[in-house]
Amino acid sequence: MKITAVAAPSHRLDPEAKTSRPIRAHSIRAAGVLAAVAVLGFLSWFRLPEVTRGTLWAEDAAVFLADTMSIGAWQSIADPYAGYLHTIPRLVSGIAYTVAPIDAYATLVSFLSCVVVAAVSVGTYFLSAQIFPHRSYRLMLALIPVLVPVGPLEVLGNVANLHWYLLWLCPWLLVYEPRGWTGRAGLVVATLAAATTEIIVGIFLPLALWSLVKRRNYAAPLALVAGIGLQLLATVADPRYAETPRLDSMQPLSVIYGFILQAVGSIWEPDARTMALNIVTFGGFAVVVPSIIVLGLLAYITIYGRAPLKVAALYAAGAAAACWAAATVLNPSPEFDFANFSRDDWLSGFTFFRYAVTPSMFLLALVPMACAVAEDRGIIGRNRARYLAPVLMAVFLSTSYFEATPARQTGPEWTTGVRAAAAQCAADPSLTEAVIAVTPATWQVAVPCRVLSGR
């Protein structure tokens, strides 16, 4: 009997071919993530006028740059300021100071800050998969940090306010269930970085407890607790307040009015002057429409949504209110006393504040949640038509893309200040440092002459 040997397909005998496929797939995915971060980073950066991109904001110069120069780029990361740690801002400051000449510091800080925001957006896209299985609604979430209407006014493009974006990222870190040790390690690092950048993440402790007990998800919750513990130690070491602030210093009505005007109203009308004129002309009716929309979305999700979406919607609304209340009650100012504003106060003193950014992002998250509920109920078809939702959201948010009037739009530009300071040092060899003004007008930083000369 003649036996004929049949050769097996070559791909079955080549173990390298099997291992090369997942490596290739991971490489393609990593390249796609980096490309998305780059694109969204530039999208964020170009929301800012050219002068703004080259102007340092307050603590970026007077605290983070000053500490980087005096303590060291990496040693300063553990140094508390104003009662808590600022891990990501100090890390960005250290990188910008280390890799570029001092005259490029402002531009690089601005760009790297926008890259961090872009990374938060991309991270939101992947982390929200536990709530939104379909990518169209995750795309909607990913648009929010980059295109939130009031972002460019004071928050976008500087490290002093990056903590607001980390506050937004925190709950998505807590609801994500990682696969394998690599995912858990990455989640721990990201959550710890967020918690040691923004002390208000304590509002997410109930969510961390739920994730820990109900889902046996340990990585992010334990990292959050560790980060909050480090923040409390920083508060003890360097208290923010000389004495405990009075929690009743803000009128409850002013806090409520501020939330409606700032967190809700800024989504609908991001120009503060127009909003103030509308309030003077129409009173509270100026914010009736956006308030009804937000309440309608929340009611729709809580009545018809699946349990995870109901919890997410209620937590998003609660987080928005808690973020605004914590920021304003612990930092009372006449600028927030909206209940007692006169006509002149509205026309000359009303503006949108950085405290509105994170609350408005959480409220915008109700839109993709409502779309997911509409799909579950068959209102949005399970086909390509569902991609219309992120397109419409992008169009809506893009209407304020070029309308921003940032606080840094008039300078002073950092490069000009560095050149003038370098000239002072060159003209007077006895000088050891020169002062450079930044914005707002009362802020400045002393830069050593050796740094200005590149020595």
Side-chain angles (χ1 to χ4, degrees):
M1 183 176 65
K2 185 177 180 180
I3 300 176
T4 303
V6 180
S10 59
H11 68 273
R12 293 183 183 176
L13 300 178
D14 187 3
E16 293 185 2
K18 290 184 177 182
T19 57
S20 65
R21 288 176 187 171
I23 293 175
R24 190 182 303 116
H26 287 309
S27 299
I28 293 174
R29 185 173 184 177
V33 170
L34 291 176
V37 170
V39 170
L40 292 175
F42 278 107
L43 188 65
S44 299
W45 203 51
F46 286 119
R47 292 191 75 184
L48 304 172
E50 184 176 358
V51 172
T52 300
R53 298 198 296 263
T55 300
L56 280 181
W57 174 255
E59 290 93 344
D60 289 17
V63 178
F64 301 129
L65 175 59
D67 288 348
T68 295
M69 292 187 296
S70 62
I71 304 174
W74 315 119
Q75 293 89 333
S76 64
I77 291 177
D79 194 47
Y81 162 69
Y84 65 101
L85 299 171
H86 303 259
T87 298
I88 299 299
R90 289 192 182 277
L91 182 61
V92 172
S93 175
I95 293 172
Y97 178 76
T98 302
V99 305
I102 192 65
D103 59 346
Y105 178 81
T107 301
L108 188 54
V109 161
S110 176
F111 179 70
L112 290 177
S113 299
C114 290
V115 169
V116 172
V117 174
V120 167
S121 288
V122 174
T124 303
Y125 173 83
F126 288 106
L127 296 169
S128 59
Q130 308 292 146
I131 305 294
F132 303 97
H134 197 272
R135 61 174 62 94
S136 60
Y137 307 125
R138 288 185 274 143
L139 283 172
M140 298 174 76
L141 280 174
L143 289 171
I144 292 173
V146 171
L147 295 177
V148 59
V150 292
L153 303 184
E154 191 179 353
V155 175
L156 189 64
N158 63 81
V159 293
N161 288 296
L162 275 179
H163 59 102
W164 300 113
Y165 295 101
L166 274 298
L167 187 60
W168 153 267
L169 183 65
C170 194
W172 303 112
L173 291 166
L174 291 170
V175 300
Y176 182 72
E177 295 183 10
R179 296 179 181 177
W181 288 105
T182 303
R184 293 187 183 92
L187 204 62
V188 166
V189 171
T191 307
L192 190 62
T196 55
T197 297
E198 172 55 83
I199 196 170
I200 302 179
V201 295
I203 65 175
F204 298 118
L205 280 174
L207 183 60
L209 182 62
W210 171 81
S211 183
L212 192 67
V213 174
K214 294 292 185 180
R215 306 179 75 176
R216 299 293 190 269
N217 186 12
Y218 300 101
L222 294 179
L224 181 75
V225 172
I228 293 173
L230 292 173
Q231 292 285 25
L232 292 176
L233 291 175
T235 299
V236 172
D238 181 26
R240 181 181 180 91
Y241 305 101
E243 58 184 28
T244 305
R246 290 181 53 190
L247 298 181
D248 61 345
S249 56
M250 283 287 293
Q251 286 192 31
L253 277 180
S254 289
V255 177
I256 296 171
Y257 289 169
F259 179 74
I260 296 172
L261 288 165
Q262 300 273 330
V264 179
S266 65
I267 298 173
W268 190 260
E269 176 50 71
D271 183 74
R273 291 166 297 182
T274 303
M275 173 64 78
L277 187 59
N278 289 340
I279 291 293
V280 169
T281 306
F282 304 108
F285 289 103
V287 289
V288 165
V289 172
S291 299
I292 290 176
I293 292 175
V294 168
L295 290 174
L297 290 173
L298 182 61
Y300 178 70
I301 299 166
T302 53
I303 293 173
Y304 298 107
R306 291 176 280 114
L309 288 172
K310 290 181 179 181
V311 173
L314 291 172
Y315 215 102
C323 288
W324 173 260
T328 53
V329 171
L330 294 176
N331 300 279
S333 170
E335 297 173 306
F336 305 144
D337 194 16
F338 302 109
N340 294 314
F341 265 25
S342 65
R343 175 185 173 88
D344 290 340
D345 290 331
W346 286 111
L347 295 178
S348 63
F350 179 79
T351 188
F352 289 123
F353 296 97
R354 60 187 179 275
Y355 303 146
V357 170
T358 307
S360 64
M361 287 197 289
F362 282 122
L363 294 180
L364 281 168
L366 295 176
V367 178
M369 293 180 195
C371 289
V373 174
E375 180 181 312
D376 290 342
R377 294 179 59 80
I379 299 173
I380 296 179
R382 297 176 180 271
N383 50 41
R384 294 181 181 178
R386 64 177 133 194
Y387 284 103
L388 181 63
V391 170
L392 292 176
M393 187 169 185
V395 170
F396 173 76
L397 293 178
S398 296
T399 57
S400 61
Y401 188 85
F402 291 116
E403 293 182 8
T405 53
R408 295 175 288 152
Q409 65 178 340
T410 58
E413 292 187 76
W414 176 251
T415 302
T416 303
V418 168
R419 290 171 182 167
Q424 290 179 23
C425 290
D428 186 355
S430 66
L431 284 179
T432 59
E433 62 183 21
V435 174
I436 304 176
V438 296
T439 193
T442 56
W443 291 77
Q444 59 186 22
V445 59
V447 181
C449 289
R450 59 176 176 77
V451 174
L452 292 168
S453 63
R455 296 196 299 270

